[in-house]
């Protein structure tokens, strides 16, 4: 079977994934045997007549197994044919029969037990439209004749076949002593093309000889109409082409041919069973409605799918298939379709399903007839020559009418049947043998129910309105809790104890107090600068107040910051952080109503507070506690209790801390008790 040298030479490349084929120069069939055996091939073919089984008279030579191998028969350098080499493995079958004592004396009747064996082995080959039979004579020397033992093999070159052909090979002896051996093999369509996965991509390796020009066409093999080209290239071998996995479809095929006159084109469709290709096909397919009642499924390949009408209720539940009484139909892609004898309705939709799964759904009259209607679909089924049954299609199934169930259709069963009998329902489809579909309007039943619902709602609304009027004067807003953020400097353990006592006393008023002493874990996790910025922003957004606690160390560091924009070495990272947060508000005149300055009695003179911070009210504690508490209260509701009592509770908490701080530092005046009396105005 000669063919273009191009198609066969492609199998001889150096690609590691393509096996090179042996080339035979001899134009005629040949046979050879393994060592120890002798072979002779009869000229020409013989008749393929296996004959009937016969009993072996003694040891006989029979085939035990078959092997095949693809080779090339090339009588000329550019004229090759694909050929199937057959290897027959042989063994000795049976043995000498034992004779009686009298029979052993008759030498004329006794078979020689030290003679060689000669067998005629037939090889029958079939590959449409070719059928051939070749005969080999194989002789085995007596020394190898051992019953049940393999003696070697015979090799036949060769039976020609075409690319992609299915070949069948039989082997038996003449006469035939056992059932014939048989072998069926599918030859590769393109032995020089390999398809492999490369991650998300697919690699097409075309092992074409160097400087060989060939054409490559990637196309979609469609059932309806001619093939649809996708990509075409003229290439020179060898080539590796990469395809994205999203480009794979079951009908994607590859066609290759040499760029020569009258060349043979070879096609290969390797993705017909690829799961990725089938997923991609459904992903790219589209169902659309070009005009009212007309639907079309567009896809590059044919799809194994069914289409049916369904009824979509306004509640957006699942679309109910109308099968039965209507029948499903096979889908033909890329062609417009319509359901015959169906009257348009906005609730009628088309469903495309595959393997019991709904893939697409579109409503056929949505554009022309508007939104869904609250109609009840009645299904009339033929049960006999003159008998019919009626059921109402609901999400739970088709409810027979009349019915004692608790569904919506069952409650209105008698009314729906009356509308059906008096032709108040609209017939959408009818088949004399299967039944009919009817759409019954539900507006009149819904209107009756909604009138009662609206009356009940109006009564409830009126009752609620009068109740609110009665309770209007009794409703009071809950007092709003204001936030106070305390900012201080690192002044030692005694001072921190004093700041903590102030924070604890204020939190009992009630106020939401924020201070770094209570948030050391957050301060460590986020950093001082981020924590102070966040707390300041939150406090001011909630209409709170920021309290600046001035101490000698804080004043000194503030002066240094105002002069050099930094603080000296020491435990003042927190001070530097909150100074960078609040100082811009003072410099830009935004401090009023947002900040309050505080220093403790006997610890600092008011004139020591930097002038830049005097834009905010400044209080000395505990001597000016009432005024300080009024500023903290701001525009919120009045705090519970008398102002003097609140000041007394805070003063007592501060006094103990001040005494402790005085004992640790030895500062005079700390231990003097606070005597409530006239309070000077804040400076």
């Amino acid at each position: 079977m000669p063919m273009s040298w191009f198609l066969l030479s492609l199998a001889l490349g150096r690609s590691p994934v393509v096996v090179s084929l042996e080339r035979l120069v001899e134009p005629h069939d040949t046979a050879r045997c393994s060592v120890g055996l002798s072979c002779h091939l009869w000229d020409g073919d013989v008749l393929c007549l296996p004959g009937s089984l016969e009993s072996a008279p003694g040891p006989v030579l029979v085939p035990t197994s078959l092997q095949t191998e693809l080779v090339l028969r090339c009588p000329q350098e550019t004229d090759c044919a694909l050929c199937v080499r057959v290897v027959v493995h042989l063994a000795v079958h049976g043995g000498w029969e034992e004779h009686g004592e009298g029979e052993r004396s008759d030498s004329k009747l006794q078979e020689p037990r030290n003679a060689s064996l000669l067998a005629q082995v037939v090889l029958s080959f079939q590959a449409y439209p070719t059928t051939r039979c070749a005969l080999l004579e194989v002789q085995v020397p007596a020394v190898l004749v051992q019953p049940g033992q393999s003696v070697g093999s015979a090799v036949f070159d060769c039976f020609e076949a075409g690319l992609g052909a299915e070949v069948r090979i039989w082997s038996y002896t003449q006469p035939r002593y056992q059932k014939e051996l048989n072998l069926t093999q599918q030859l590769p369509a393109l032995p020089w093309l390999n398809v492999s996965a490369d991650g998300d991509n697919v690699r097409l390796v075309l092992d074409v000889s160097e400087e060989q020009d060939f054409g490559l066409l990637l196309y979609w093999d469609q059932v309806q109409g001619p093939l649809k080209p996708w990509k075409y290239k003229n290439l020179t071998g060898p080539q590796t082409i990469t395809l994205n996995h999203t480009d794979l479809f079951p009908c994607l095929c590859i066609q290759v041919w040499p760029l020569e006159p009258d060349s043979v084109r070879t096609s290969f469709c390797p993705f017909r069973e690829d799961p990725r290709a089938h997923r991609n096909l459904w992903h790219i397919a589209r169902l659309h409605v070009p005009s009212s009642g007309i639907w079309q499924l567009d896809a590059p390949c044919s799809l194994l799918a069914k289409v049916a009408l369904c009824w979509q209720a306004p509640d957006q539940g699942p679309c109910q298939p109308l099968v039965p009484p209507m029948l499903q139909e096979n889908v033909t892609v890329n062609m417009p379709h319509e359901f015959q004898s169906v009257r348009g309705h906005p609730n009628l939709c088309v469903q495309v399903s595959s393997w019991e799964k709904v893939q697409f759904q579109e409503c056929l009259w949505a554009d022309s007839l508007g939104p869904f209607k609250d109609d009840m679909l009645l299904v009339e089924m033929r049960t006999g020559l003159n008998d019919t049954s009626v059921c109402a299609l609901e999400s739970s199934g088709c409810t027979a009418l009349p019915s004692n169930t608790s569904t919506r259709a069952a409650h209105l069963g008698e009314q729906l049947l009356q509308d059906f009998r008096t032709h108040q329902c609209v017939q959408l489809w009818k088949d004399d043998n299967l039944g009919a579909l009817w759409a019954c309007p539900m507006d009149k039943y819904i209107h009756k129910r909604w009138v009662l619902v609206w009356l009940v709602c109006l009564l409830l609304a009126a009752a609620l309105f009068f109740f609110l009027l009665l309770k209007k004067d009794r409703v009071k807003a809950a007092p709003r809790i204001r936030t106070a953020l305390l900012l201080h400097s690192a002044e030692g353990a005694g001072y921190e104890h004093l700041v903590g006592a102030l924070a604890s006393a204020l939190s009992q008023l009630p106020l939401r107090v924020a201070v770094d002493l209570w948030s050391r874990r957050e301060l460590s996790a986020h950093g001082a600068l981020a924590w102070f910025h966040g707390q300041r922003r939150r406090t001011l957004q909630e209409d709170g107040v920021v309290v600046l606690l001035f101490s000698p160390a804080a004043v000194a560091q503030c002066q240094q910051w105002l002069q050099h924009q930094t603080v000296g070495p020491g435990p003042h990272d927190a001070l530097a952080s909150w100074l960078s947060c609040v100082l811009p508000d003072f410099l830009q005149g935004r401090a009023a109503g947002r900040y309050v300055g505080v220093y403790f009695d006997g610890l600092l003179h008011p004139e020591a507070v930097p002038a830049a911070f005097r834009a905010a009210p400044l209080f000395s504690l505990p001597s000016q506690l009432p005024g300080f508490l009024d500023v903290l209260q701001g525009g919120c509701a009045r705090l519970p209790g008398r102002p003097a009592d609140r000041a007394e509770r805070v003063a007592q908490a501060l006094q103990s801390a001040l005494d402790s701080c005085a004992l640790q530092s030895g500062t005079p005046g700390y231990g003097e008790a606070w005597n409530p009396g006239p309070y000077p105005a804040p400076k």
Side-chain angles (χ1 to χ4, degrees):
M1 189 181 297
M3 62 185 67
S4 169
W5 161 246
F6 166 75
L7 294 177
L8 297 177
S9 65
L10 296 178
L12 303 177
R14 296 183 298 275
S15 171
V17 294
V18 181
V19 179
S20 298
L21 304 184
E22 180 183 345
R23 299 173 64 192
L24 306 178
V25 180
E26 179 63 42
H28 304 294
D29 296 341
T30 60
R32 64 183 186 277
C33 285
S34 57
V35 177
L37 306 183
S38 60
C39 293
H40 171 68
L41 178 64
W42 281 34
D43 294 335
D45 291 346
V46 297
L47 293 177
C48 301
L49 299 175
S52 58
L53 286 173
E54 298 183 13
S55 299
V60 292
L61 195 63
V62 294
T64 58
S65 64
L66 294 174
Q67 286 181 302
T68 61
E69 180 184 354
L70 288 181
V71 296
L72 293 177
R73 173 174 283 167
C74 303
Q76 298 180 10
E77 183 67 22
T78 59
D79 184 15
C80 293
L82 187 65
C83 221
V84 180
R85 171 183 289 165
V86 182
V87 180
V88 186
H89 295 273
L90 303 168
V92 177
H93 175 70
W96 296 108
E97 296 181 359
E98 294 295 334
H99 300 281
E101 187 66 26
E103 292 179 318
R104 285 201 298 269
S105 63
D106 189 354
S107 60
K108 293 182 180 180
L109 298 177
Q110 187 178 12
E111 293 289 344
R113 302 193 179 194
N114 58 352
S116 61
L117 293 182
L118 181 67
Q120 291 185 338
V121 180
V122 178
L123 293 176
S124 177
F125 176 85
Q126 186 180 70
Y128 181 83
T130 302
T131 301
R132 290 186 57 197
C133 282
L135 180 62
L136 287 77
E137 285 189 349
V138 182
Q139 188 170 11
V140 183
V143 68
L144 297 180
V145 178
Q146 297 292 333
Q149 296 296 318
S150 174
V151 297
S153 60
V155 180
F156 173 78
D157 286 329
C158 57
F159 294 116
E160 294 184 8
L163 291 172
E166 182 183 76
V167 300
R168 298 181 180 181
I169 302 171
W170 293 267
S171 178
Y172 51 89
T173 59
Q174 288 184 342
R176 186 161 64 95
Y177 300 117
Q178 66 177 19
K179 186 178 179 180
E180 65 269 19
L181 298 178
N182 65 82
L183 175 67
T184 301
Q185 182 178 3
Q186 182 72 45
L187 300 187
L190 297 177
W192 39 268
L193 174 64
N194 178 268
V195 180
S196 62
D198 182 14
D200 288 339
N201 299 324
V202 173
R203 298 172 66 244
L204 306 178
V205 181
L206 294 98
D207 196 54
V208 181
S209 59
E210 295 183 4
E211 300 182 358
Q212 173 67 58
D213 297 329
F214 65 97
L216 173 71
L217 174 65
L218 298 176
Y219 66 94
W220 293 317
D221 186 18
Q222 298 176 318
V223 175
Q224 302 90 16
L227 60 85
K228 184 178 180 181
W230 179 42
K231 291 183 180 180
Y232 169 78
K233 291 182 179 180
N234 288 335
L235 303 171
T236 300
Q239 290 285 339
T240 299
I241 300 173
T242 301
L243 299 177
N244 192 289
H245 71 97
T246 58
D247 295 331
L248 304 184
F249 299 107
C251 62
L252 179 61
C253 299
I254 306 159
Q255 191 175 87
V256 183
W257 67 96
L259 297 179
E260 300 172 357
D262 301 325
S263 59
V264 178
R265 296 195 176 200
T266 304
S267 296
F268 181 41
C269 303
F271 308 111
R272 292 195 185 278
E273 306 300 329
D274 193 318
R276 296 172 300 176
H278 286 273
R279 288 195 297 268
N280 292 341
L281 181 57
W282 280 111
H283 182 72
I284 200 174
R286 291 292 181 269
L287 176 67
H288 63 100
V289 179
S291 59
S292 296
I294 307 295
W295 63 272
Q296 180 171 324
L297 181 63
D298 292 333
C301 309
S302 298
L303 285 167
L304 185 62
K306 297 285 187 179
V307 64
L309 269 182
C310 66
W311 179 263
Q312 179 63 67
D315 59 4
Q316 299 300 318
C319 195
Q320 301 295 319
L322 303 180
V323 180
M326 301 187 72
L327 302 177
Q328 285 187 324
E329 301 177 7
N330 293 324
V331 175
T332 302
V333 299
N334 305 325
M335 292 181 60
H337 302 270
E338 64 177 326
F339 291 97
Q340 299 295 329
S341 306
V342 174
R343 182 171 180 171
H345 191 282
N347 295 30
L348 285 179
C349 306
V350 59
Q351 274 185 351
V352 176
S353 305
S354 176
W355 303 107
E356 306 299 329
K357 178 182 178 182
V358 177
Q359 300 287 354
F360 301 107
Q361 176 179 314
E362 289 290 341
C363 294
L364 298 174
W365 287 275
D367 293 337
S368 59
L369 299 182
F372 298 132
K373 291 184 177 180
D374 192 17
D375 291 355
M376 184 68 70
L377 186 73
L378 301 187
V379 180
E380 181 184 9
M381 298 284 291
R382 295 287 181 185
T383 58
L385 292 177
N386 299 315
D387 296 329
T388 62
S389 63
V390 178
C391 64
L393 192 64
E394 298 182 284
S395 59
S396 58
C398 208
T399 304
L401 298 181
S403 174
N404 295 325
T405 60
S406 58
T407 65
R408 180 190 184 195
H411 292 156
L412 301 173
E414 293 297 337
Q415 294 94 321
L416 290 173
L417 285 177
Q418 181 65 25
D419 292 345
F420 169 72
R421 296 188 183 105
T422 57
H423 304 289
Q424 297 185 40
C425 300
V426 179
Q427 188 180 76
L428 303 181
W429 172 82
K430 181 180 180 180
D431 185 279
D432 293 336
N433 299 320
L434 299 176
L437 299 175
W438 303 81
C440 300
M442 301 291 289
D443 296 344
K444 56 184 177 181
Y445 306 113
I446 295 173
H447 289 162
K448 292 178 181 178
R449 292 187 177 184
W450 276 112
V451 168
L452 296 176
V453 172
W454 278 112
L455 288 176
V456 172
C457 291
L458 288 174
L459 290 175
L460 291 176
L464 180 61
F465 176 73
F466 285 113
F467 176 78
L468 293 177
L469 288 178
L470 293 175
K471 294 293 183 179
K472 180 179 179 181
D473 294 336
R474 300 182 183 181
V475 176
K476 295 184 178 179
R480 181 165 55 90
I481 298 178
R482 202 177 190 196
T483 301
L485 173 63
L486 306 186
L487 302 180
H488 64 96
S489 64
E491 195 85 18
Y495 190 75
E496 286 191 357
H497 178 68
L498 183 59
V499 173
L502 176 62
S504 298
L506 293 179
S507 64
Q508 302 299 319
L509 290 182
L511 286 169
R512 194 185 73 83
V513 179
V515 63
D516 59 345
L517 301 178
W518 297 349
S519 305
R520 296 190 185 277
R521 181 176 298 178
E522 296 180 17
L523 201 68
S524 176
H526 302 290
L529 183 63
W531 187 86
F532 285 118
H533 270 285
Q535 291 295 327
R536 170 192 163 277
R537 181 174 61 254
R538 177 182 175 184
T539 300
L540 297 182
Q541 286 177 349
E542 295 177 356
D543 195 26
V545 62
V546 180
V547 180
L548 307 181
L549 300 178
F550 292 102
S551 64
V555 169
Q557 295 297 329
C558 287
Q559 296 289 1
Q560 184 177 356
W561 176 271
L562 292 172
Q563 295 175 7
H564 306 290
Q565 293 298 307
T566 184
V567 297
H572 304 293
D573 291 342
L575 176 66
S577 299
W578 65 257
L579 277 177
S580 67
C581 296
V582 305
L583 188 57
D585 288 342
F586 283 90
L587 297 180
Q588 297 174 14
R590 299 197 303 265
R594 308 169 80 182
Y595 293 89
V596 175
V598 168
Y599 62 93
F600 293 103
D601 293 343
L603 184 62
L604 185 73
H605 193 276
E607 298 299 330
V609 177
F613 295 99
R614 296 180 189 174
L618 184 64
F619 296 94
S620 178
L621 301 183
S623 60
Q624 296 180 338
L625 262 173
F628 173 64
L629 296 180
D630 288 341
V631 172
L632 289 185
Q633 179 178 314
C636 299
R638 302 293 299 180
L639 297 175
R642 294 171 55 247
D645 295 339
R646 294 197 302 271
E648 182 68 25
R649 289 196 300 270
V650 177
Q652 290 176 357
L654 285 179
Q655 191 62 53
S656 176
L658 280 169
D659 293 342
S660 176
C661 186
L663 291 175
Q664 294 179 16
S665 62
T667 304
Y670 272 12
E672 297 178 0
W674 171 63
N675 183 25
Y679 303 103
K683 299 181 180 180

